[in-house]
Amino acid sequence: MKIGILSRNANLYSTRRLVESCLKHGHQVEVIDHLKCNILIEEELPRLYYVDHYLEGFDAIIPRIGASVTFYGTAVVRQFEMMGVFSAVKSRGLADSRDKLRSLQLLTKSGIGLPKTVFTNYSKNVESIIESAGGVPIVIKLLEGTQGLGVVLADTKKAATSVLEAFNGLKARVIVQEFIEESGGADIRAFVVDGKVVGAMKRQGKQGEFRSNLHRGGSSQIIELSEAEEQAAIRSAKALNLGVAGVDMLQSSRGPLVLEVNSSPGLEGIEHATRLDIADEIIKFIERNAKQ
């Protein structure tokens, strides 16, 4: 089987592990920088030109698309799909997961538990927004933020008002969410492949930090999910039509609450925490689904 990995850096941990797993399974593999792909649109002949050659003969691709290049990366994935190539992450699922507002709408439509969330179009009625999210403390998130960037915890009504007014003044779109105090600055990342949880870890924010992102100095450890947590992760991936997904959840007094569904979840943190071969699970998923 010939597999393409869409990644801008062949030396990244996740990319290297996927290449290793492809080779271990006896597949031909090529790392493709999706920003260097030219999309050729011709009647009944969708093609991709890469550097100095056409991309042909691929059975499957594994998109590793960064948030900052979602638009073009999704277009490249869509072109591969039009060429009849199986994608481990569908273009529609990739686009929906990167639109935080739409992803939350799709999740709630599927009956998945979420923190109380408010989105508004630069409303000046800040006080009602705060109350709709359950009152302070609240979490304010930039729609375009990643890895904990653009996320603010406002402890008081005055602080929340100041932050919201500042973002409104910058014309920055934000989501306002209920703060789940009982989570204790920790969250769960469940890694879902082909409708099954193949690994899970609990991430704890460093002292004094409510964000648990490993990129921000958080720690991680393996965790055994409850039945409710496992089902929430599986249903979340299904709601966004993702074959591969990292589902982030909070443990709360009313059950698991999904924060976000990541369509290009990193492998380093989950593999180190669980000691499981997650890359191998992704290749097995492709082998079960790609047409050769």
Side-chain angles (χ1 to χ4, degrees), residues 118 120-132 161 164-165 168:
V118 181
T120 181
N121 192 38
Y122 313 129
S123 172
K124 289 183 170 57
N125 193 359
V126 172
E127 189 167 327
S128 69
I129 296 170
I130 296 170
E131 293 306 316
S132 296
T161 300
L164 284 170
E165 288 177 347
N168 284 345

Coordinates of all heavy atoms in Angstrom, one line a residue, residues 118 120-132 161 164-165 168:
V118 N -21.4 30.3 25.7 CA -22.0 31.4 25.0 C -21.2 32.0 23.9 O -20.0 32.2 24.1 CB -22.4 32.5 26.1 CG1 -23.1 33.7 25.4 CG2 -23.2 32.0 27.2
T120 N -21.2 35.2 21.1 CA -22.0 36.4 20.7 C -21.2 37.2 19.7 O -20.0 37.1 19.6 CB -22.3 37.3 22.0 OG1 -23.0 38.4 21.6 CG2 -20.9 37.7 22.7
N121 N -21.9 38.0 19.0 CA -21.4 38.9 18.0 C -21.0 40.3 18.5 O -21.7 41.2 18.2 CB -22.3 39.0 16.8 CG -21.6 39.6 15.5 OD1 -20.4 39.3 15.3 ND2 -22.3 40.4 14.8
Y122 N -20.0 40.3 19.3 CA -19.5 41.6 19.9 C -20.6 42.3 20.7 O -20.7 43.6 20.6 CB -19.0 42.5 18.8 CG -18.0 41.9 17.8 CD1 -18.2 42.0 16.4 CD2 -16.9 41.2 18.2 CE1 -17.4 41.4 15.5 CE2 -16.1 40.6 17.3 CZ -16.3 40.7 16.0 OH -15.5 40.1 15.0
S123 N -21.4 41.6 21.4 CA -22.5 42.2 22.2 C -21.9 43.1 23.3 O -20.9 42.8 23.9 CB -23.3 41.1 22.8 OG -24.3 41.7 23.7
K124 N -22.5 44.3 23.5 CA -22.1 45.2 24.6 C -22.8 44.8 25.9 O -22.4 45.3 26.9 CB -22.4 46.6 24.2 CG -21.6 47.1 23.1 CD -21.9 48.6 22.8 CE -20.8 49.2 21.8 NZ -20.7 48.5 20.6
N125 N -23.7 43.9 25.8 CA -24.4 43.4 27.1 C -23.6 42.3 27.7 O -24.0 41.2 27.8 CB -25.8 43.0 26.7 CG -26.7 42.8 28.0 OD1 -26.2 43.0 29.1 ND2 -27.9 42.4 27.8
V126 N -22.4 42.7 28.2 CA -21.5 41.8 28.8 C -22.0 41.0 30.0 O -21.8 39.8 30.2 CB -20.1 42.5 29.1 CG1 -19.2 41.6 29.8 CG2 -19.5 43.0 27.8
E127 N -22.7 41.8 30.8 CA -23.2 41.2 32.1 C -24.1 40.0 31.8 O -24.0 38.9 32.5 CB -23.9 42.2 32.9 CG -24.3 41.7 34.3 CD -24.7 42.8 35.2 OE1 -24.2 44.0 35.1 OE2 -25.6 42.6 36.1
S128 N -25.0 40.1 30.8 CA -25.9 38.9 30.5 C -25.1 37.8 30.0 O -25.5 36.6 30.2 CB -27.0 39.4 29.5 OG -26.4 39.6 28.2
I129 N -24.0 38.0 29.2 CA -23.2 36.9 28.7 C -22.6 36.2 29.9 O -22.6 34.9 29.9 CB -22.1 37.5 27.8 CG1 -22.7 38.1 26.5 CG2 -21.1 36.4 27.4 CD1 -21.8 38.9 25.7
I130 N -22.1 36.9 30.8 CA -21.4 36.3 32.0 C -22.4 35.4 32.8 O -22.1 34.3 33.1 CB -20.8 37.3 32.9 CG1 -19.7 38.1 32.2 CG2 -20.3 36.7 34.2 CD1 -19.2 39.3 32.9
E131 N -23.6 35.9 33.0 CA -24.6 35.2 33.7 C -25.1 34.0 32.9 O -25.4 32.9 33.5 CB -25.8 36.1 34.0 CG -25.5 37.2 35.0 CD -24.9 36.7 36.3 OE1 -25.4 35.7 36.8 OE2 -23.9 37.3 36.8
S132 N -25.2 34.1 31.6 CA -25.6 33.0 30.8 C -24.7 31.8 30.8 O -25.0 30.6 30.7 CB -25.8 33.4 29.3 OG -26.8 34.4 29.2
T161 N -15.6 41.4 32.6 CA -16.1 42.5 31.8 C -14.9 43.2 31.0 O -15.1 43.5 29.8 CB -16.8 43.5 32.7 OG1 -17.9 42.9 33.4 CG2 -17.3 44.7 31.9
L164 N -13.7 40.8 28.1 CA -14.7 40.8 27.0 C -14.7 42.1 26.3 O -14.8 42.1 25.0 CB -16.1 40.4 27.6 CG -16.3 38.9 28.0 CD1 -17.6 38.8 28.7 CD2 -16.3 38.0 26.7
E165 N -14.7 43.2 27.0 CA -14.7 44.5 26.3 C -13.4 44.7 25.5 O -13.5 45.2 24.4 CB -14.9 45.6 27.3 CG -16.3 45.7 27.9 CD -16.4 46.7 29.0 OE1 -15.3 47.2 29.5 OE2 -17.5 47.0 29.4
N168 N -13.8 42.5 22.4 CA -14.8 43.1 21.5 C -14.2 44.3 20.8 O -14.4 44.5 19.6 CB -16.0 43.6 22.3 CG -16.9 42.5 22.7 OD1 -16.8 41.4 22.2 ND2 -17.8 42.7 23.6

